[in-house]
Amino acid sequence: MLHCDILVIGSGGAGLATALSAYEKNANVIIVGETYPTRSQTCMAQGGINAALGNISADSPKQHIDDTLKAAAGLASERMVKRLCESAPETIFWLDAIGVPFSRTPENKIAQRRLGGTANTRACYSQDYTGLKILHTLYDQVLAHEIPCLNERFLLDLAVENNTAKGAFFYNIREGKIETILAKSVVLATGGYSGIYHGYTTNTRQSSGDGIAMAFRAGAVLSNMEFVQFHPTALKGSGILISESARGAGGTLINQHGARFTDELAPRDQVSRAIWQELVKGDQVYLDISHLGESFIDEYIPQERKLCLTYAGIDPVHEPIPIAPVAHYSMGGICVDQNHMSTINGLFAVGECANAKVHGANRLGGNSLLEIIAFGRECGVSATNYATQSTAPHPVSDRHIADRLQQLLELPQQQNFYDMRADTGSILYQKAGILRDKASLSFAKSTVEQITTQLPEMGIVDRGNIYNTNLIERLKFENSMVLARIVLESALAREESRGAHFRTDFPQQHPDYHKESISFLDKGHLITRFQEVVS
Ligand SMILES: Cc1cc2nc3c(=O)[nH]c(=O)nc-3n(C[C@H](O)[C@H](O)[C@H](O)COP(=O)(O)OP(=O)(O)OC[C@H]3O[C@@H](n4cnc5c(N)ncnc54)[C@H](O)[C@@H]3O)c2cc1C
C-alpha cells in the first residue's frame, strides 16, 4: 500500500499542473493515470489558450471577464471568473518560461488568434497543436522533478470514510492487480463526460466521466450536469474536430447551395443550432477554408489539413469540409468551492471533471486550457495546505473492491455492452443533444434506465489479467451510464433554454432557473435540485 501527501488522479493538463504546484510546495505527490500522460485528451486541444495579452489588438482582463460571464449566461461565479481571467497573463508567462513553444509574431511577441464568442483576439497558440505542446512541456517538468507517475492504472473507486477522502483503489492494467494508494489529499483530474455521446463526440474513450461517477457514488455533489457543449465543426461521420481557429482565421460555413447562414464566430451553442437546423432540413453543411490559401493553412492550421486528408480524404485547400456538430465539452462536473475542494473533505477536483463555476451554461473556446493550468496550479496549493493540516490515513481494506471485480468477471454474456454503448451514444445525441424537449429526454431516460437494469447480463469475454481492455471498457461503460442518467435528470428538471441547454418546449431563459442544478445521492436515490450560484 503506497502513501503520499497528494494523490493526483488523471495525468492530463489539469493533473500535471496540480502535481507540479504541489511539488513546488514540497508536498510528496503521486500522479496516477489510465494512460501515459501524453495520451491524455489535453493533447487534442488545438485552437489556443486565452489570456488578455493584447499582443495583436487592444484587450484587457476586464473584457475577458465580460466575455466569459456573457457566455456563461448567469451561471458562473463572478469571483471565480475574475480570478481565472486576471491570472491568465501570468499563466501564459509561466508556460512560456517552462518551455511551451508558443507561436510568435514578427516582433517576437506571443501570437494570438480570435476564437468564437469573444470581442478580442485573445487565444495564444502553438500552431494548431496547443494542447499537445502544453502537455508535453508539463510532462517534461514532471520527469525533470522525478515526480512519480504511475501509468496504466485505472481508478476503480475512492476510499472515503466519514465524508473524508483517504485515498483510492486502482486496477493495474499491465498486471491485473488491485493497488491501493492512501493520501492526505486526493485530487480528481480525470477529465469530462462528453464521451457518453459515444460515436458523436470529439472526445476519446477516456471521457466516460469515471472520476465524476466515483465522486458521486462516494457522496459528492455534482452540478450543472445538463450543460454539454456541442462543437459546431466536427468532420462529418468521424467526430474529429476541425478547430475553431479555422473559423477564427476567416473560414466560412456554407450549406449545399453555397450560401452562408450564420455568424461563424457567434458562441458555439448558436452556431451549432444554426448548423443543426440546416442538417434537419436535409442540407449538407461545409466549412470552407480554401480561400485562406495553401501557405496560410500550412503555416497556421496544418493539423486541420492533415486531419481532413487522413480521415475524410478531403484537401481543404481545394474543397470545402463536410461537418456536423458533436458533443465536445462538459461544463458540469464535481461541484467545488473556491479552493477546488468538493463536498467531500480532502477530495479536490480540477479541470474538466470539476465545475469550478467559470463556464456556466457555455464555455468559451480557449478558456478550458486556461482553467486546467491556472486552477491546476491553485489546486496544488490548496491540496497541499489541506494535507499539511491532516494526519496520514490508516490502512483501508480493498476486499469489497476485489469482490466487486470478481462479480463483474463472472457475469454472463447475454448482451454485448459495446452494442449498448453505441445505442446509448446515438440516443443521447438524438434525444438529449443540441435540441431537446420533455418527450425526447424522457425517452432517452427510460432507455438508459432499461439498459442499466440489463448491466448484470453484460459480462465480458476476456477474463485475462494482462491488458484486459475488455474489462476496462466495461467498467467505463457502467460509469457512463451513471452519468447519462444524471445528465438526463438535470436536463429534464431545467425547464428553460440557457447556453448549451436548448429546450424546444421552453425556448426562453427563465429567471426561476438563474441557478445551478445540483445532483447527489440520498439513501441511494438520485436527487436533482437547484441552488443559487455562490459568487
Ligand atoms: C479535440 C479537442 C480540442 C480542444 N481544443 C481546445 C482548445 O483549443 N482550447 C481549450 O481551451 N480547450 C480545448 N479543448 C478542451 C480541453 O482540451 C479539455 O477540456 C482539457 O484538456 C481537459 O483537461 P483535463 O486535464 O481536465 O482532462 P484530460 O486531458 O481529459 O485528462 C484526464 C486524465 O484522466 C485520466 N483518467 C480518466 N479516467 C480515469 C480512470 N478511470 N482512472 C485513471 N485515470 C483516468 C485520463 O487518462 C487522463 O490522463 C479541446 C478538447 C478536444 C476534445
Side-chain angles (χ1 to χ4, degrees):
M1 211 172 275
L2 289 170
H3 289 258
C4 59
D5 293 333
I6 320 283
L7 170 61
V8 178
I9 307 172
S11 49
L16 299 188
T18 302
L20 284 167
S21 94
Y23 170 85
E24 278 168 24
K25 297 274 288 176
N26 296 319
N28 161 11
V29 187
I30 296 179
I31 306 167
V32 186
E34 180 188 343
T35 60
Y36 283 81
T38 45
R39 290 190 192 152
S40 296
Q41 189 160 277
T42 299
C43 78
M44 295 169 79
Q46 302 162 4
I49 169 167
N50 288 339
L53 302 182
N55 285 352
I56 305 297
S57 57
D59 199 5
S60 65
K62 162 93 177 53
Q63 188 61 54
H64 188 182
I65 294 166
D66 289 350
D67 288 342
T68 304
L69 288 173
K70 190 170 164 208
L75 297 190
S77 147
E78 287 190 30
R79 185 209 307 231
M80 295 303 276
V81 169
K82 196 162 177 278
R83 233 160 76 186
L84 182 77
C85 300
E86 286 180 348
S87 68
E90 197 274 323
T91 301
I92 298 296
F93 300 145
W94 179 74
L95 288 172
D96 192 36
I98 64 169
V100 173
F102 284 114
S103 296
R104 300 272 163 180
T105 66
E107 302 80 35
N108 202 29
K109 291 179 181 170
I110 290 173
Q112 296 186 279
R113 58 166 55 118
R114 187 154 172 229
L115 299 180
T118 61
N120 293 327
T121 303
R122 185 174 299 140
C124 310
Y125 58 91
S126 261
Q127 285 190 315
D128 51 0
Y129 294 98
T130 315
L132 181 98
K133 304 287 180 186
I134 290 175
L135 192 65
H136 280 230
T137 309
L138 293 173
Y139 189 36
D140 278 349
Q141 292 290 310
V142 165
L143 292 174
H145 295 306
E146 298 181 354
I147 301 173
C149 208
L150 306 181
N151 305 316
E152 300 187 318
R153 263 75 169 189
F154 183 82
L155 173 66
L156 288 170
D157 216 342
L158 297 166
V160 174
E161 283 173 11
N162 301 324
N163 201 42
T164 304
K166 305 283 176 189
F169 305 100
F170 298 92
Y171 186 73
N172 181 327
I173 302 172
R174 280 178 219 162
E175 298 173 19
K177 285 191 319 203
I178 295 171
E179 294 172 343
T180 305
I181 304 180
L182 299 177
K184 294 176 186 168
S185 297
V186 176
V187 180
L188 283 169
T190 44
Y193 55 88
S194 295
I196 67 173
Y197 289 79
H198 187 82
Y200 300 88
T201 174
T202 59
N203 285 209
T204 69
R205 285 185 196 158
Q206 288 170 55
S207 306
S208 45
D210 300 335
I212 306 173
M214 277 171 235
F216 172 74
R217 276 201 291 258
V221 172
L222 311 182
S223 51
N224 280 349
M225 295 294 286
E226 64 275 34
F227 291 102
V228 174
Q229 180 174 77
F230 286 77
H231 196 291
T233 57
L235 205 50
K236 195 161 187 194
S238 69
I240 287 173
L241 179 80
I242 304 301
S243 167
E244 199 159 276
S245 47
R247 278 175 288 134
T252 53
L253 290 169
I254 51 172
N255 61 21
Q256 65 201 35
H257 313 292
R260 285 175 72 183
F261 53 88
T262 186
D263 168 9
E264 285 81 359
L265 288 178
R268 286 179 182 173
D269 60 315
Q270 288 176 32
V271 183
S272 289
R273 278 198 296 280
I275 295 173
W276 189 254
Q277 271 145 12
E278 294 293 311
L279 291 174
V280 292
K281 277 195 287 179
D283 281 0
Q284 299 295 317
V285 175
Y286 300 90
L287 171 64
D288 188 7
I289 57 171
S290 56
H291 54 284
L292 301 178
E294 185 165 12
S295 58
F296 180 91
I297 291 171
D298 285 348
E299 170 73 23
Y300 293 101
I301 45 175
Q303 190 181 179
E304 313 313 316
R305 186 179 187 188
K306 281 187 199 137
L307 291 171
C308 291
L309 281 166
T310 309
Y311 295 99
I314 282 170
D315 186 349
V317 168
H318 303 295
E319 52 196 321
I321 311 163
I323 51 98
V326 295
H328 178 61
Y329 182 86
S330 30
M331 269 78 72
I334 301 163
C335 191
V336 292
D337 65 15
Q338 52 175 307
N339 295 316
H340 308 285
M341 190 154 84
S342 72
T343 51
I344 296 178
N345 300 317
L347 180 68
F348 296 78
V350 68
E352 200 174 329
C353 72
N355 178 10
K357 305 180 202 319
V358 286
H359 307 304
N362 206 355
R363 174 189 70 106
L364 282 183
N367 267 359
S368 174
L369 286 180
L370 173 61
E371 179 191 8
I372 64 176
I373 307 300
F375 283 180
R377 294 176 74 207
E378 282 188 8
C379 183
V381 175
S382 300
T384 306
N385 291 342
Y386 180 89
T388 312
Q389 290 156 20
S390 311
T391 50
H394 57 79
V396 293
S397 165
D398 65 4
R399 186 64 186 272
H400 61 296
I401 302 290
D403 288 348
R404 213 192 293 160
L405 214 52
Q406 191 53 38
Q407 279 165 17
L408 182 58
L409 287 168
E410 287 168 6
L411 290 180
Q413 296 150 40
Q414 288 160 356
Q415 302 233 42
N416 182 333
F417 78 87
Y418 292 107
D419 292 342
M420 294 296 164
R421 185 175 69 180
D423 288 354
T424 310
S426 166
I427 285 164
L428 287 175
Y429 184 64
Q430 299 298 335
K431 308 289 183 191
I434 295 158
L435 305 181
R436 23 183 91 184
D437 63 19
K438 186 173 182 185
S440 70
L441 290 166
S442 304
F443 176 83
K445 185 179 151 214
S446 67
T447 311
V448 164
E449 283 170 353
Q450 196 186 351
I451 294 175
T452 304
T453 60
Q454 293 165 352
L455 282 168
E457 298 164 15
M458 295 178 212
I460 56 172
V461 179
D462 184 353
R463 275 134 196 205
N465 287 332
I466 314 294
Y467 283 106
N468 189 340
T469 49
N470 193 202
L471 171 65
I472 298 300
E473 302 243 347
R474 173 63 176 74
L475 288 162
K476 283 179 120 25
F477 177 58
E478 195 155 338
N479 290 331
S480 68
M481 294 308 286
V482 172
L483 293 187
R485 216 184 124 220
I486 302 170
V487 168
L488 292 166
E489 288 286 3
S490 311
L492 273 164
R494 184 176 289 279
E495 295 188 330
E496 64 153 1
S497 291
R498 191 183 290 264
H501 171 76
F502 196 93
R503 291 271 306 247
T504 49
D505 46 352
F506 296 100
Q508 305 300 328
Q509 225 177 74
H510 196 285
D512 283 359
Y513 294 101
H514 196 102
K515 292 176 178 170
E516 62 183 2
S517 67
I518 53 167
S519 312
F520 54 94
L521 274 179
D522 186 20
K523 301 185 186 74
H525 296 289
L526 167 61
I527 308 290
T528 305
R529 288 208 189 118
F530 290 88
Q531 69 179 20
E532 301 292 333
V533 182
V534 181
S535 228

